[in-house]
Amino acid sequence: RFAFIFFWIYGLQCWAGTTEFSYYIDMASNNKLDMNARWRALIKAGDLTSVGVNSKQINQIKFFSSDKDWYMRNASLIALAKINSIEATVEAKKLLNDKSLVVRSAAVDILAKSLTAEHKKILAEEFNKPYNFHKKSSLWIRKQIIEKLILFADIKDRHFFVKSLFDSDVEIAQLSAKALEKITGQQVGDIKFVEKWQSIVKKNNWL
């Protein structure tokens, strides 16, 4: 009898959770609602999804990664990242070249959570893509990418940082110099930090 009551209560809870999930998915799908309401609804739906197991619910959240509105594509990535890292990574790779900078930035964050050799290569390739510049100036995502790459930089990444050391963006050049300092173990002091590293690179023919 106790077992029957337990499973009856459990069934009610599952039903209630599914119903609540559907309610928030419907809200997220309602184009008549404003941006904040729809975004929050999809995030809430993600919070109600069973981590890693409910494929139907995950697919419903994934559906929004191709939504016409950038903020719903963004919400989809954020929600997926909480519940299924594999699905989040798959969608993040697709959205790295999204027309929305906010969406691209969210995709970078997801790939950087598991910075495998493949993900490092992908982010390095994205670094100089035309859509990550406004005219000739860096958008914030370039700094975001290089900061993520520095965290796990090793000697195999030297060529990337050598090239970015000569970037026209002063902040990018400074970060590149710090990366080279990290992976080589060579200290040059704080005065004319970037210029000294540029001289070292030229002297050693690392370009």
Side-chain angles (χ1 to χ4, degrees):
R1 184 177 179 182
F2 174 79
F4 171 78
I5 294 172
F6 172 81
F7 285 112
W8 179 70
I9 293 173
Y10 177 75
L12 281 177
Q13 289 175 332
C14 290
W15 176 82
T18 302
T19 302
E20 192 176 7
F21 174 86
S22 297
Y23 168 77
Y24 284 110
I25 287 293
D26 287 343
M27 276 188 68
S29 304
N30 189 345
N31 292 319
K32 293 180 180 179
L33 296 177
D34 64 26
M35 177 178 75
N36 287 334
R38 293 184 66 208
W39 189 92
R40 290 177 184 277
L42 190 56
I43 296 298
K44 182 63 177 177
D47 291 340
L48 292 168
T49 302
S50 300
V51 177
V53 296
N54 195 321
S55 59
K56 182 179 179 181
Q57 291 181 343
I58 289 172
N59 285 336
Q60 286 179 278
I61 292 172
K62 276 177 61 178
F63 177 79
F64 288 91
S65 66
S66 58
D67 194 272
K68 66 181 181 63
D69 294 314
W70 68 266
Y71 51 88
M72 297 310 294
R73 299 194 298 276
N74 173 256
S76 178
L77 284 179
I78 293 172
L80 284 172
K82 292 180 179 180
I83 57 179
N84 191 300
S85 60
I86 294 175
E87 295 289 359
T89 297
V90 170
E91 296 307 308
K93 288 177 181 178
K94 295 177 184 177
L95 293 172
L96 271 175
N97 63 352
D98 193 88
K99 60 185 178 181
S100 165
L101 177 59
V102 175
V103 175
R104 297 200 303 276
S105 180
V108 168
D109 279 339
I110 288 171
L111 293 184
K113 285 181 179 179
S114 176
L115 208 52
T116 61
E118 179 199 3
H119 292 174
K120 286 169 74 172
K121 183 176 184 291
I122 290 171
L123 293 182
E125 290 172 349
E126 288 296 314
F127 182 69
N128 282 321
K129 289 294 176 68
Y131 43 74
N132 288 327
F133 292 84
H134 176 62
K135 296 181 179 178
K136 292 185 178 181
S137 298
S138 294
L139 295 176
W140 89 69
I141 194 171
R142 296 187 75 233
K143 180 185 175 186
Q144 178 190 7
I145 288 173
I146 202 167
E147 285 178 336
K148 300 295 186 186
L149 292 174
I150 288 173
L151 291 175
F152 297 94
D154 57 40
I155 195 63
K156 291 179 288 187
D157 305 313
R158 190 184 70 185
H159 183 65
F160 171 82
F161 291 112
V162 162
K163 290 180 67 177
S164 57
L165 178 67
F166 294 87
D167 200 277
S168 59
D169 185 319
V170 174
E171 196 168 11
I172 295 295
Q174 290 172 340
L175 287 167
S176 301
K178 288 180 180 178
L180 289 169
E181 185 176 76
K182 175 183 177 181
I183 63 180
T184 63
Q186 187 171 345
Q187 307 288 321
V188 299
D190 296 329
I191 299 174
K192 293 187 176 181
F193 183 59
V194 172
E195 291 85 346
K196 287 179 180 177
W197 268 107
Q198 288 175 339
S199 295
I200 291 170
V201 164
K202 291 175 182 177
K203 184 179 178 180
N204 289 283
N205 294 315
W206 287 350
L207 279 169

